[in-house]
Each structure stands twice: as C-alpha cells, then as structure tokens.
C-alpha cells in the first residue's frame, strides 16, 4: 500500500470510530514522520501488529482533555482526571480504530493481526515501539483537543 492509501485509511478509520461514538467528526491535521519515543499525549494505547512478512505498531495517544471528552460523550459524565474508565476508553477506541484500519488493509490483500492494547499514562511517558523504522503520525483535532495516530510497519 502506498503512503497516500495508508493516510486515507488512517483518516477514514479515526473519523468512522470517533464520529460514531462521540457524534463529532475529528479533523485531521498535517501528517509527519517521527522516531522519538516520548508520547504525544497523556494516555497512549499501543498495539503490536503482525502479518505475513511484517511486524509493526499502531499507537493512539490522547491529550487529557481529549480522552476525558470521549469518556463524557460515552458515559455522560467527565471524570475530571485520568482514571480506569478513561484508560479503558482509550484502549477500546484504539482497538476499534485499529480494527477499522486493518479492514482497509484486508481490502488490499494484506492481512494484519493486532495485539491487545497496552495502556500507558502520564506526561512525557515513553512508548515501547516494535518498529525500527520511523513512524507516520497523523494528529487530529476533536472539540479543541488532540489525539495522535502513529503507525509503522517493518518487513521481517
């Protein structure tokens, strides 16, 4: 798959899931490439990816206000702090976004499996990424807050 197809699949997957569950369409921003391990948000869900000849990572990082807003949209109440409910919501959102993204790959003949999300929290936390290559990042704005999708695949 080309980088433009990957970008489109990522954007479509995030929009599909977040619009369904929050009622608001996230707005994609300019993508970029990075290799740093510090997370871009306060809550990150990290999924490992495997496929025939590939290994990779799929990361969804949420700013605090973003994940709390999602929890409020889901349950009708903002917890005010990152708690178990917010961590669970981050994992569920990441799992659904990654699942939608993997369906795009399958439509192009590439089968990918994903692990259960590992949730990491805290300011400036470090991500455990399986890839040696740099990651494609797409920031999204959702009701004035941010989330970031990071994706990489290595041939292996």
């Amino acid at each position: 798959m080309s980088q433009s197809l990957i970008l489109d699949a990522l954007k479509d997957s995030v929009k599909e899931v977040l619009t369904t569950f929050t009622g608001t369409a996230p707005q994609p921003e300019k993508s970029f490439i990075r290799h740093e391990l510090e997370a871009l948000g306060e809550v990150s869900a990290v999924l490992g990816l495997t496929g025939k000849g590939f290994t990779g990572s799929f990361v969804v990082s949420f700013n605090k206000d973003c994940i709390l807003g999602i929890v409020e949209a889901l349950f009708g109440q903002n917890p005010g702090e990152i708690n178990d409910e917010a961590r669970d919501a981050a994992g569920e959102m990441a799992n659904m976004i990654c699942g939608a993204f993997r369906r795009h790959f399958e439509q192009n003949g590439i089968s990918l499996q994903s692990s259960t999300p590992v949730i990491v929290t805290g300011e400036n936390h470090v991500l455990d990424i399986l890839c040696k290559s740099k990651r494609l990042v797409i920031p999204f704005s959702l009701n004035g807050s941010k989330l970031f999708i990071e994706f990489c695949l290595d041939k292996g």
Side-chain angles (χ1 to χ4, degrees):
M1 279 179 76
S2 70
Q3 185 168 328
S4 65
L5 284 175
I6 292 170
L7 280 168
D8 289 344
L10 286 168
K11 290 174 185 177
D12 290 347
S13 299
V14 172
K15 283 184 180 183
E16 173 189 325
V17 171
L18 290 179
T19 302
T20 299
F21 288 95
T22 68
T24 304
Q27 299 303 310
E29 298 179 359
K30 184 172 175 45
S31 63
F32 58 95
I33 304 294
R34 75 185 297 247
H35 65 275
E36 299 83 8
L37 295 178
E38 296 81 24
L40 295 169
E42 286 86 9
V43 179
S44 296
V46 182
L47 296 95
L49 297 172
T50 59
K52 189 173 183 177
F54 295 99
T55 59
S57 292
F58 191 96
V59 180
V60 184
S61 290
F62 302 87
N63 284 356
K64 180 180 176 182
D65 290 342
C66 185
I67 193 60
L68 296 180
I70 290 170
V71 169
E72 185 172 13
L74 292 172
F75 303 115
Q77 188 171 2
N78 185 324
E81 294 297 323
I82 295 171
N83 59 10
D84 287 341
E85 199 171 59
R87 286 186 282 276
D88 289 347
E92 287 301 322
M93 292 294 111
N95 216 8
M96 288 186 276
I97 293 167
C98 186
F101 178 68
R102 288 177 23 237
R103 281 193 301 279
H104 284 277
F105 265 72
E106 288 169 5
Q107 292 169 354
N108 286 283
I110 300 169
S111 178
L112 290 174
Q113 291 76 45
S114 65
S115 67
T116 302
V118 173
I119 309 302
V120 187
T121 62
E123 288 187 34
N124 303 316
H125 61 270
V126 175
L127 301 171
D128 186 16
I129 302 294
L130 299 175
C131 292
K132 293 179 176 69
S133 60
K134 294 180 181 180
R135 298 180 309 284
L136 175 64
V137 181
I138 304 177
F140 289 84
S141 178
L142 181 67
N143 294 325
S145 61
K146 299 272 188 195
L147 67 132
F148 304 86
I149 306 295
E150 299 187 47
F151 170 74
C152 61
L153 274 183
D154 289 341
K155 288 187 178 184

